[in-house]
Amino acid sequence: MDYQSLPKDPMMLLSFINTKLRDDYSSLELLCEDLNISPDTITVPLASIDYTYDKKLNRFI
């Protein structure tokens, strides 16, 4: 998977990323490293719908 295949809609991105964090990655940093993307690629669109990453829960809330 690469940046181009991430969902463009923020709500779809939220669902996709939280599922990946739950099932496959122990942190946002590891997910971003594996996808070779900047965390801003995920955090900025999700901030636009008022979601932020919670390290303790390892999900966007």
Side-chain angles (χ1 to χ4, degrees), residues 4-37:
Q4 296 298 331
S5 57
L6 288 175
K8 303 298 182 231
D9 178 81
M11 289 304 292
M12 295 298 291
L13 181 63
L14 172 66
S15 177
F16 177 80
I17 294 299
N18 274 343
T19 298
K20 284 292 200 185
L21 289 169
R22 181 190 71 218
D23 295 346
D24 301 323
Y25 297 95
S26 60
S27 72
L28 178 62
E29 292 78 18
L30 289 174
L31 183 147
C32 291
E33 181 180 311
D34 194 40
L35 296 179
N36 197 31
I37 59 173

Side-chain angles (χ1 to χ4, degrees), residues 24-58:
D24 301 323
Y25 297 95
S26 60
S27 72
L28 178 62
E29 292 78 18
L30 289 174
L31 183 147
C32 291
E33 181 180 311
D34 194 40
L35 296 179
N36 197 31
I37 59 173
S38 163
D40 286 346
T41 304
I42 296 170
T43 59
V44 170
L46 295 185
S48 76
I49 57 170
D50 297 324
Y51 280 82
T52 58
Y53 180 65
D54 184 306
K55 285 185 180 188
K56 184 176 179 183
L57 297 175
N58 189 38

